[in-house]
Amino acid sequence: MHFSIKRAVEGGDDIRGYELPSWALLVILIDILLLIPTVLLFEYTFKMIYPVFAMVEDENPPAYEPVSLQDQSADAEGGAGIGITRNGFKHTRGQPRTVTSSFRAINRLLVANGGFGANFRGFFCFLAQVFLTSMVVGIFTGAVGGFFYPVATLLASLILVQLSTAWVHIVISEKSPLHFWSRLPPFRRTFDATWKAVTIFWFAREVARFVPFAAAFILGLQMPKTGLNEPMDMNAMDASFIVKSLLVILVTLACSIFVIIPAYVVLVRVQASLLPVEQSTIIPFDRSFEGKVEPEVVGGKGYATVTDAWVTFSRSSWRRLLTLYVKMFLLSIGALLVSSAIIVPQAVFIAKHSKQVR
């Protein structure tokens, strides 16, 4: 296995070739095989599934808490006394407890409803949504120009409301033998229920994308000049540059917390309200939204409005959700450090055992 390094020198470019040791490819393949599930776990399970649970969970849980099948087996072998009942729930001793208060509780909930694979529930529905979104955006921007990319993303989101809503349903409901395309809700009803929330979320993302650039422009923040074969201008990274960069980062973080997350909470809760009554959830979920949503059989809409989704999400729920995001961020930093501690020494070791070829 060969690779080349190009660097600029006086009088032209210096190109050197190197041959990796024969075992390097095996090490790289092992790293990739280990990184793929890890990346999926962090980017999909922790970043997407866990927050959805926190957004829809009812703060008034039942008197029994779900436990995993492994806990039931251990209880059966160890005899009575642990307090796990035959139906897979254990008594909470009357103390209110939300599942999304801890990562372990969420993981236990998922494992109890499908094993380790439940961490990736709805993944193929998500892939289909990503693929079709790319197609719609590509077709639209190809026809009218890239300047209208934001409009294209809104159009794609509205056209594919069935997929995004079905994904939420798959995540929060019990395992079903049906394929995701068989669980798509009716388009007309889904569109009527979610178009406002979808538009609000789209607008929030556009605001969060524009505001940091506007802040950088107002502050006069300029990135240090550099090029492919030129060293970075370190003199430009003075105290003023660092302060301005930190301010832009704070603005970006504020947009995420106060703009994107609230809009996404509303969207997810509205989509969750469309869950068919015959489908049970794996997490406590108040379908009535504190009595604000009336079933269609009694003349109600049968789903939550944007206002219903917003006003019924309590302050403690916000605190629990933001705490979950902080935990995810810290966990991601820890995983990044661990991965770097493993991969960097490997890269150095492989480089030392590589031979230069001419």
Side-chain angles (χ1 to χ4, degrees):
M1 184 175 180
H2 295 78
F3 70 97
S4 300
I5 295 179
K6 178 181 178 181
R7 63 176 183 174
V9 295
E10 293 184 5
D13 295 327
D14 180 22
I15 302 178
R16 297 183 180 183
Y18 292 87
E19 181 179 359
L20 296 179
S22 57
W23 45 264
L25 182 59
L26 178 61
V27 173
I28 295 173
L29 289 176
I30 293 175
D31 287 340
I32 292 175
L33 291 176
L34 292 176
L35 283 176
I36 288 177
T38 303
V39 171
L40 284 177
L41 192 64
F42 276 86
E43 292 298 318
Y44 182 75
T45 306
F46 294 162
K47 189 176 179 180
M48 298 183 64
I49 292 181
Y50 280 29
V52 167
F53 285 148
M55 293 172 189
V56 303
E57 183 178 13
D58 185 6
E59 286 190 299
N60 300 307
Y64 289 86
E65 175 189 3
V67 297
S68 67
L69 298 178
Q70 286 84 345
D71 290 339
Q72 296 182 59
S73 300
D75 184 44
E77 294 176 1
I82 300 180
I84 299 177
T85 62
R86 292 177 59 188
N87 61 358
F89 286 72
K90 66 180 181 181
H91 201 276
T92 59
R93 296 181 176 86
Q95 299 177 355
R97 181 180 179 183
T98 51
V99 176
T100 53
S101 297
S102 72
F103 265 60
R104 290 184 61 187
I106 301 176
N107 179 69
R108 187 165 61 245
L109 174 72
L110 286 171
V111 172
N113 290 273
F116 179 77
N119 285 284
F120 307 103
R121 50 173 44 211
F123 183 67
F124 291 107
C125 182
F126 169 73
L127 287 183
Q129 183 182 353
V130 171
F131 175 73
L132 292 176
T133 298
S134 301
M135 284 188 58
V136 173
V137 171
I139 293 172
F140 188 85
T141 54
V144 300
F147 179 78
F148 294 95
Y149 175 81
V151 179
T153 58
L154 174 60
L155 180 64
S157 298
L158 292 173
I159 292 175
L160 301 174
V161 288
Q162 288 173 284
L163 274 173
S164 59
T165 302
W167 180 82
V168 172
H169 294 174
I170 293 171
V171 168
I172 67 175
S173 63
E174 293 180 349
K175 188 176 181 180
S176 171
L178 298 176
H179 296 291
F180 72 85
W181 56 82
S182 300
R183 301 184 63 178
L184 297 179
F187 177 79
R188 179 61 183 273
R189 185 166 185 266
T190 306
F191 183 87
D192 290 341
T194 64
W195 74 267
K196 290 182 181 179
V198 168
T199 304
I200 291 173
F201 182 55
W202 166 83
F203 182 74
R205 287 191 300 180
E206 291 302 314
V207 168
R209 187 167 64 94
F210 171 77
V211 169
F213 286 103
F217 177 78
I218 294 173
L219 292 172
L221 177 64
Q222 294 183 350
M223 298 302 295
K225 295 181 179 180
T226 184
L228 183 62
N229 296 318
E230 299 177 3
M232 181 178 292
D233 183 11
M234 300 302 295
N235 293 327
M237 300 180 65
D238 53 9
S240 175
F241 172 81
I242 295 175
V243 171
K244 292 177 180 179
S245 299
L246 290 176
L247 288 175
V248 172
I249 292 174
L250 289 176
V251 169
T252 304
L253 184 62
C255 286
S256 298
I257 296 175
F258 299 108
V259 179
I260 293 183
I261 293 179
Y264 189 51
V265 167
V266 170
L267 174 59
V268 168
R269 288 176 63 79
V270 171
Q271 290 175 326
S273 70
L274 290 167
L275 183 71
V277 293
E278 64 272 12
Q279 295 183 18
S280 301
T281 60
I282 65 174
I283 194 166
F285 175 49
D286 180 15
R287 294 173 183 260
S288 71
F289 285 75
E290 299 180 3
K292 298 183 181 297
V293 177
E294 295 183 350
E296 289 183 288
V297 294
V298 296
K301 291 183 177 181
Y303 57 80
T305 63
V306 169
T307 303
D308 297 335
W310 176 259
V311 300
T312 56
F313 199 65
S314 66
R315 183 175 299 179
S316 58
S317 297
W318 282 112
R319 184 167 55 250
R320 189 174 66 252
L321 176 62
L322 294 178
T323 301
L324 186 67
Y325 274 116
V326 171
K327 290 179 180 179
M328 283 191 294
F329 174 75
L330 296 177
L331 193 61
S332 299
I333 295 297
L336 181 61
L337 293 176
V338 172
S339 300
S340 300
I342 296 174
I343 294 176
V344 171
Q346 288 181 358
V348 173
F349 187 76
I350 291 175
K352 286 184 177 180
H353 289 78
S354 299
K355 298 179 181 179
Q356 183 176 348
V357 294
R358 297 184 182 275

